[in-house]
Amino acid sequence: MSMSQRPTYFYRSMTAADVPSAHTLSVQLKWPHRLEDWAMLQRIAEGFVVEDQGRLIGTAFTCAQGSYATIGLVIVDDEYQGQGIGRKLMELAIEACGSRTAILNATLAGAPLYASQGFVDFGHIQQHQGQALVPALPELTVGEQCRVLTAADQAELIKLANAGSGLDREAVLNDLFDVVEHAVGIEHDGHLCAFALLRPFGRGRCIGPVIAQNPEQARHLIASLLAQVPDAFVRIDIPSNSGLAPWLEAAGLKQVDTVAQMARGTPPEARGDVRQFALVTQAIG
């Protein structure tokens, strides 16, 4: 009498050599990530893959950022759904967090699995994208001025990004600085208090992170960057409570998706008088 045997899959750490196969997985899901976007995450985060007889069929990442770690790009090939592979990948990703609090941005499909593993909603992220119209520059308040940022500003940007997100952004931003096309900041009486970055990502460009003291500053920074790439396809991921959505819609960046922010513990909080108005990416927060 023959008994059907459950197949044995091989789980291991991701290497740079896995990036092309991992990219193929995301293409099958119609996710927009380029090879370069995968390579960036592979450099700064700890990745995991699962194979079936040498064929890569699933991925997950844990990106340590101070007291927190973001989990992202949890993908299982469509042919292998329903076999507990996503759960096992998540267990590896959570284990890699160590004593850090795990946070993630959950798709509608992924949310039930994450909830069963102790993750709780603490907010929502809206994905906006499209062929941007260049909006009029919103006015700044007296004493504020917008300027182009340079390498000399990088240490200050990291401080602002850490305060606005509640995460340690040093490794993430040091990697991003190499590919940023445009960087703008707002000074108040000579002191840098807000910034935004634009870089290639997915189907075109991505704006993020955006760190500012208020929505008016955030809108001014985003408008300044859109003016640099008037014909580009642009994506921006914003917290749903950011106050930016109607303005982005008017600028041609339509909302196309919403994901849940989830934490396995106390979620991160902004410090000081700045907060994050746009993510780096959904995988990194």
Side-chain angles (χ1 to χ4, degrees), residues 153-238:
D153 298 302
Q154 288 180 4
E156 202 57 39
L157 298 196
I158 291 169
K159 280 187 202 166
L160 284 170
N162 291 353
S165 65
L167 309 175
D168 180 347
R169 294 301 217 180
E170 185 169 7
V172 169
L173 286 188
N174 279 333
D175 195 276
L176 271 193
F177 289 145
D178 291 338
V179 295
V180 166
E181 291 180 323
H182 299 284
V184 289
I186 293 172
E187 287 183 334
H188 186 269
D189 295 336
H191 172 68
L192 196 65
C193 59
F195 79 91
L197 307 178
L198 181 140
R199 67 187 193 281
F201 178 83
R203 293 167 55 191
R205 307 299 206 297
C206 174
I207 292 177
V210 177
I211 305 291
Q213 295 171 315
N214 51 57
E216 292 73 30
Q217 289 178 343
R219 286 194 281 266
H220 188 97
L221 291 166
I222 294 164
S224 299
L225 291 175
L226 292 177
Q228 300 297 320
V229 286
D231 301 316
F233 179 90
V234 177
R235 170 173 173 169
I236 184 168
D237 294 274
I238 61 168

Side-chain angles (χ1 to χ4, degrees), residues 17-98:
D18 294 315
V19 166
S21 297
H23 175 243
T24 299
L25 269 189
S26 64
V27 168
Q28 287 169 1
L29 288 180
K30 298 190 166 49
W31 288 8
H33 301 72
R34 305 168 305 150
L35 262 174
E36 295 91 337
D37 304 325
W38 275 95
M40 183 257 190
L41 206 49
Q42 197 277 322
R43 285 192 300 272
I44 64 168
E46 188 174 354
F48 302 95
V49 299
V50 53
E51 293 178 323
D52 179 17
Q53 298 178 352
R55 178 185 164 208
L56 193 146
I57 60 168
T59 63
F61 279 100
T62 298
C63 183
Q65 300 185 65
S67 303
Y68 294 88
T70 51
I71 293 175
L73 288 182
V74 181
I75 301 177
V76 177
D77 189 306
D78 277 346
E79 289 178 39
Y80 292 83
Q81 296 288 337
Q83 299 184 47
I85 295 171
R87 181 172 294 277
K88 173 68 174 168
L89 284 167
M90 277 297 297
E91 286 168 1
L92 291 170
I94 290 168
E95 188 182 341
C97 295

